[in-house]
Amino acid sequence: MLLLPRALHGARGALALTSLCTSLLLSGCAQQVPESRITESKSAEGNPAERNAARGEPGNGHLERRQGSANGAAARGVAGGPVEASLVREIPGLGPVTRASIPVSARQAFVVTGEGRDSPRSGVALYERDADTGWQPVTNRWPAHNALRGWTRDHRASDLRSPIGVFTLGDAGGRLPDPGSRLPYDEDSDFEAPGTGFLGEPLEGSFDYVVAIDYNRTPGTTPLNKERPMGLGKGGGVWIHVDHKGPTQACVSLSRTHMVELLRLLDPAKRPVIVMGDALALRD
């Protein structure tokens, strides 16, 4: 994908609940950002990633942005020299089609495994690819939430399902200051989460920390970017963010502690991707 400057901030999203349906227009957690807060950054001073680099703050030295399709190229083997087949480890629970969707260049994979096609609950873990022995776990398995109605291979705006697939991860941000992210981090008050969730739980603080999932978005821009390369009908604004103890619209949510840990572990030099879907789909 072509790298663009930071685009317009804005609100998009849809919730089925009465408490939110009058204020949200498209699916995806990012759609909850208030429309009245639209601004456009036009200078290097407004670019948090460039400011970080200039000050030597977290994110310095990691401004390289990934090009190409969010789904990446098919993997054809483990990087490095020949290894005994029995010693090469694959990520557990992934079938040949899913494994082939992970780019060869990716050395980090954040795997989100849904409990069922229609379930809003998942387990997540981060893996890294070693040149000699293959994929190794970096974290324990953490609990997580996904969309209210589960998963889909054909995500649409307002369907309340999370998209199945392999997508790159390259941009982070949040309402709170950078906790030590290696990804370029956009601290902005526009990361607001108004209203309540599907279980009546408050959404406040859900966007304190986020990582943008490169589904129907332009990599190399703030997670607040409204650009939708595949069109508005395919949804967007799909993030990893702080859990509010209930299902999401399309995002993946983790506890605050685990979200901070993930931000500190994801390394753009390792070309991180997210592998996400229900357990049955990931076994393809």
Side-chain angles (χ1 to χ4, degrees):
M1 289 185 179
L2 178 66
L3 305 187
L4 300 178
R6 298 200 177 273
L8 296 181
H9 300 179
R12 311 161 311 279
L15 284 176
L17 295 184
T18 302
S19 63
L20 289 178
C21 66
T22 59
S23 62
L24 305 177
L25 301 177
L26 298 173
S27 72
C29 297
Q31 317 310 331
Q32 297 175 17
V33 177
E35 185 69 33
S36 62
R37 302 288 303 273
I38 294 177
T39 59
E40 182 173 12
S41 175
K42 296 184 179 180
S43 69
E45 289 185 358
N47 185 323
E50 293 181 12
R51 291 199 307 267
N52 286 350
R55 294 195 300 259
E57 293 178 359
N60 179 27
H62 299 293
L63 300 180
E64 180 181 357
R65 306 295 191 161
R66 184 169 318 180
Q67 305 286 330
S69 166
N71 287 321
R76 309 195 187 284
V78 177
V83 181
E84 286 281 344
S86 61
L87 298 180
V88 178
R89 295 186 57 179
E90 297 290 354
I91 298 174
L94 303 188
V97 174
T98 303
R99 291 199 302 267
S101 298
I102 301 175
V104 176
S105 61
R107 291 186 287 126
Q108 283 185 328
F110 185 60
V111 180
V112 182
T113 306
E115 291 183 0
R117 180 57 63 97
D118 301 319
S119 172
R121 295 184 177 275
S122 301
V124 302
L126 181 65
Y127 292 82
E128 288 192 1
R129 178 156 35 193
D130 180 85
D132 294 324
T133 59
W135 290 102
Q136 308 291 335
V138 176
T139 68
N140 295 322
R141 184 179 174 89
W142 300 333
H145 279 103
N146 53 268
L148 176 70
R149 295 176 181 168
W151 300 89
T152 180
R153 293 190 182 278
D154 185 22
H155 178 60
R156 300 281 176 174
S158 307
D159 66 6
L160 299 180
R161 291 183 180 271
S162 297
I164 297 170
V166 178
F167 310 99
T168 52
L169 300 172
D171 301 287
R175 187 176 62 88
L176 297 183
D178 185 349
S181 172
R182 301 187 187 187
L183 302 177
Y185 187 91
D186 179 13
E187 179 187 346
D188 199 309
S189 61
D190 279 359
F191 284 100
E192 295 182 2
T196 56
F198 294 103
L199 305 180
E201 76 279 13
L203 299 179
E204 183 179 0
S206 299
F207 303 158
D208 284 353
Y209 304 112
V210 312
V211 175
I213 297 171
D214 289 340
Y215 169 83
N216 198 19
R217 71 178 299 270
T218 302
T221 62
T222 173
L224 293 168
N225 187 359
K226 294 177 64 177
E227 195 83 19
R228 298 291 175 258
M230 295 188 294
L232 296 178
K234 291 292 289 180
V238 183
W239 296 345
I240 307 168
H241 64 71
V242 177
D243 187 53
H244 46 78
K245 303 186 185 303
T248 70
Q249 295 182 66
C251 298
V252 175
S253 61
L254 318 175
S255 73
R256 182 177 298 270
T257 298
H258 291 152
M259 192 68 210
V260 170
E261 185 173 350
L262 181 66
L263 281 167
R264 293 172 177 171
L265 287 171
L266 290 176
D267 185 350
K270 296 179 180 179
R271 301 291 195 268
V273 298
I274 185 170
V275 182
M276 55 193 291
D278 60 278
L280 184 60
L282 294 184
R283 285 199 292 269
D284 285 352

